Amino acid sequence: MIRPATPDDVPAIIDMIRGLAEYEKALDKVENTPDMLHETLFCPSPSVFCHIAVDGERIAGFAIWFVSYSTWLGTHGIHLEDLFVHPAHRGGGHGRRLLAELAGICVERGYGRFEWSVLDWNTPAIDFYRAIGAEPLDEWDRYRLTGPALEKVAAGRTR
C-alpha cells in the first residue's frame, strides 16, 4: 500500500534518509533532524511531499518529492528527491508502486515530466529505472552551489 506520509512517520523517514545516505556513502552529510523534516513536510504550505510504502504494519520505503516546472513544456512536473526501500523489503514491488503513485499524480495533474537523479555507480537502481522505461539524460550535467560557494554567489546580488 502507498499512502501520503503523516507526522507520525517522521522518525521512520529520518531513519530511512540516514539509511539511504549510508548506502550512498554519505551518512556524514545528513543534517536533517526530525524537527526540520516535520516543519518541511507539515508546515501550512509545504513545498516538499512524501509518500510511504507500507508492507503489512511496517513501513517499507518512502519517496520524497517536489513540484518542478519546465519552461519548454509550459507545465509542472515532479522531481523525485529520494526513493528508498528497506533492504528487507526490496524485491516486493514497493519501489515500483511508489514510482507509479508519483507518475499517477503527474498524469492526474497534467504534469509533463517525472525526473530524478541517480549516482552513476548505483547499478541496481539504474537497472531498475531502465526496466520501467526511464531514460538517462546523458547530455545534462547537474551543478550545485552549497556552503561558502553559495554564500559567495549570494553576496554578489544587487538589492
Side-chain angles (χ1 to χ4, degrees):
M1 174 178 85
I2 306 299
R3 63 169 174 76
T6 68
D8 290 340
D9 296 324
V10 167
I13 297 167
I14 286 288
D15 286 344
M16 290 185 287
I17 289 170
R18 295 181 63 78
L20 176 60
E22 185 174 19
Y23 175 77
E24 293 182 349
K25 302 172 179 91
L27 184 56
D28 61 321
K29 304 275 193 253
V30 176
E31 298 179 15
N32 207 347
T33 67
D35 288 341
M36 292 166 67
L37 184 64
H38 185 276
E39 177 61 25
T40 300
L41 293 175
F42 303 107
C43 64
S45 297
S47 299
V48 177
F49 309 93
C50 182
H51 279 76
I52 299 292
V54 179
D55 188 357
E57 297 296 315
R58 300 187 58 120
I59 292 177
F62 78 104
I64 293 184
W65 59 278
F66 56 89
V67 175
S68 60
Y69 182 75
S70 168
T71 57
W72 288 8
L73 295 178
T75 64
H76 288 94
I78 285 181
H79 180 85
L80 175 64
E81 179 65 18
D82 284 330
L83 175 71
F84 180 80
V85 175
H86 282 290
H89 294 277
R90 292 185 186 150
H94 302 294
R96 185 178 297 267
R97 283 192 289 280
L98 283 163
L99 292 178
E101 180 67 21
L102 300 187
I105 292 169
C106 281
V107 171
E108 289 168 3
R109 296 181 182 180
Y111 293 174
R113 290 185 177 162
F114 179 20
E115 298 179 305
W116 59 89
S117 298
V118 61
L119 292 166
D120 60 4
W121 56 260
N122 192 349
T123 54
I126 292 167
D127 292 345
F128 169 65
Y129 297 143
R130 287 181 185 238
I132 65 166
E135 298 177 2
L137 300 175
D138 294 331
E139 68 275 11
W140 291 90
D141 288 329
R142 291 185 60 189
Y143 286 83
R144 177 180 293 161
L145 282 172
T146 62
L150 176 64
E151 292 172 16
K152 182 179 178 182
V153 172
R157 73 180 182 181
T158 58
R159 296 178 193 235

